[in-house]
Amino acid sequence: MDLTTVKSIYRNTAAYANKEVTLGGWIRTMRVSKNFGFIELNDGSFFKNIQIVFEAEKLANYEEISKQNVGAALIIKGLLVETPEAKQPFEVKATQIDVEGTSTPDYPLQKKRHSVEFLREIAYLRPRTNLFSATFRVRSLIAMAIHEFFQGKGFVYAHTPIITGSDCEGAGEMFRVTTLDLENLPRTADGKVDYSKDFFGKETNLTVSGQLSAETFAMAFRNIYTFGPTFRAENSNTTRHAAEFWMIEPEMAFADLNDNMEIAEEMLKYIIQYVLDNAPEEMEFFNSFVDKGLLDRLHNILDNEFGRVTYTEAVELLKKSGHTFEYPVEWGIDLQTEHERYLTEQIYKKPVFVTDYPVEIKAFYMRLNDDKKTVAAMDLLVPGVGEIIGGSQREERLDVLENRMNELGLKKEDYWWYLDLRKYGGTRHAGFGLGFERAVMYLTGVGNIRDVLPYPRTVNNAEF
Amino acid sequence: MDLTTVKSIYRNTAAYANKEVTLGGWIRTMRVSKNFGFIELNDGSFFKNIQIVFEAEKLANYEEISKQNVGAALIIKGLLVETPEAKQPFEVKATQIDVEGTSTPDYPLQKKRHSVEFLREIAYLRPRTNLFSATFRVRSLIAMAIHEFFQGKGFVYAHTPIITGSDCEGAGEMFRVTTLDLENLPRTADGKVDYSKDFFGKETNLTVSGQLSAETFAMAFRNIYTFGPTFRAENSNTTRHAAEFWMIEPEMAFADLNDNMEIAEEMLKYIIQYVLDNAPEEMEFFNSFVDKGLLDRLHNILDNEFGRVTYTEAVELLKKSGHTFEYPVEWGIDLQTEHERYLTEQIYKKPVFVTDYPVEIKAFYMRLNDDKKTVAAMDLLVPGVGEIIGGSQREERLDVLENRMNELGLKKEDYWWYLDLRKYGGTRHAGFGLGFERAVMYLTGVGNIRDVLPYPRTVNNAEF
């Protein structure tokens, strides 16, 4: 249908003033008296509603319209009139209103504040609320900003596989993928499940990271990125963990840890600027109703260089801080969220890269530093969230990599192609992972990962 | 590292002529004599190579360089010199070459033509060949074109879930997702597998389509699209089927079948124009070496309106054609690939939408036409491929939808939220699915889906 969008009216009011417009949208609220009524209509194109005025003497079906329920879909013809003296900048004086789809009095989204817990139970309706309309539109914009950022720099977008035949990605518990009939499993001669009968002829799982595949593409295209779903079958019932989430993993050849940090910082600033430019109304809403300091915090990030500190220095700073942590700080420990947040919120008061972690607490593929005790890893910590990005320079030296794999008992034959990358023109290279939902939480101030995913998957929950 | 890209030299040669450049890349071919040598270097930023000239008297490590194998990674400093009389437009006269990573004499990608079958076995290296470098770069550009197209029109990008708790998407065989120990399955009292012990507390599968979820978002944002992986556990070993593939599913409120076709046509033309603009070298390559008629065909699409024909008319046309089909044409049959291709390649000689299919052969959610025999469906058929897009106007009338579900024996309680959309301000709406890999095949001329996916998943194959 050829409809005028509410967004275009807000963005370019002069072009529509005193002209007829046709709108399609849903009733957010309605007030009706005997001879006239007001509708707050949302057409989905824009965060804000538009006010519709309708009068009994102008509409033959005034009676029908005035009985509509919240949520009903209408198609409205009318005159756009500027109302400089009123709360809203303009309104539409309706000349015709057609009911496209009715609603009912028990429509769950009545005009009152609903708890996010209640709204999760009606996740299929919650994008129609201010909070979730803003969240999912900003989520969409962040995704676009990420593609623009990387494509603008010539990075190739690589779709690494979701179903993986290797269980060697090593980043966490995995979900099994199978077409075997669980009520009637095929067995080998020795009584084990016979995976040779499974769809792929072997055991397969859902990916926990596209990084190892991404490296193969970086060795061809130099700069690449992934952006796809990843999965962790971890029984962690927190506000920051979901079993299914999206991740961005850039990987760059001829790049070291410094290049890695530069790109990560530039990317995060690009995303923030993009969202501030493209969703000012939504960001004002978050700043007013979700997280009062949000806009200040984001502008602060744009205006400042991120901090950089080595793990060793960070441990010293935390020890010297005088702060009592639940989990005491000692060189060699994996930093806990309390430590990370103290570093970024109290000590640096801005995003900070922590680099060069002890080799023992990081993944096998991270590049060993000359001190032989630390690896060229980097985590980006941000106020309010903690870790949002984790990355490293990769170990490109075949012998060093093989030594490390031996120490950890990893089998070379499981990684043959990954090791081959070090034989055939391997370069220094680096990359990182950005948890997409964490980025959305960070940019919106929304505190629970269940509220930034359309249909979150968590322990005991795969509804809708 | 601060390197000049080969792409920027090709695109803006004047800016680099007679200046020093530093390049990082991989040896594609090398010729060496006693005192000088030539390297074809590819740096991943661009489809084409750049020629490097190196001389014994200028390089202290001439001996080392001249012994490098194909595939080795080099960092090269040198002077960019235009060579208008030569085959290549310019070359770099090296002043310094450092070996970043060696290769070996048994590097599998020697200078000769390799079969695509062989290259699938070394899928981790094949992006380094011309064919796959072009394919995966164009794949990335098509993805970007799709995002640009929809975001430019204000569509919201929705991440519909990959793991689904409903098996009612109805589009095909599904993969089960589980964390149960298959060697030791928990059982209920009556001996069945106890899925209440599974991660999500019930049976879950990989999605075959995001459409039903997408409709919930369209009823909030009006225009939305998905772009994510989907899965079919079908035992079809063809050149057009993969178990894991990406799909784009736009969904539009206040839209009918005509709106749907208009958007589909505009989208496909946008993608083609984008790729022609942004990958001219790659498209020339495909046209020369993969599919001789490719560029003509794509320009033909840009210049023409797509055809439109009803299923009923199409059946008549096929019957009247005089052509003998393996599978005879009768009203009521599902069109086979031979019929689809004959329609688009022989009769229309351009893309054609076939609309209004018999209700019996289409999905339950498609809108029933007034004739009660057909539904407002549309398939887009394109020459060389057949069906590339399938879509429909959706049934927004609750009673009609429920009748159809009853006829098919579908349980209302499995679809409660989908039915609710028709109670709470349902609107006419429509959408379609574009198989992303089919689009890549169509735009590149590559004939096997295994060659447009980085790491294809097919029956008995989940390598890498």
Side-chain angles (χ1 to χ4, degrees), chain A residues 411-426:
Chain A
K411 287 188 219 151
K412 280 193 229 172
E413 53 270 34
D414 291 342
Y415 297 83
W416 66 272
W417 50 270
Y418 188 71
L419 291 168
D420 268 7
L421 295 180
R422 279 73 185 163
K423 293 178 192 161
Y424 302 140

Side-chain angles (χ1 to χ4, degrees), chain B residues 424-438:
Chain B
Y424 301 141
T427 69
R428 79 192 82 176
H429 62 295
F432 62 84
L434 167 70
F436 182 61
E437 281 74 20
R438 295 232 176 133

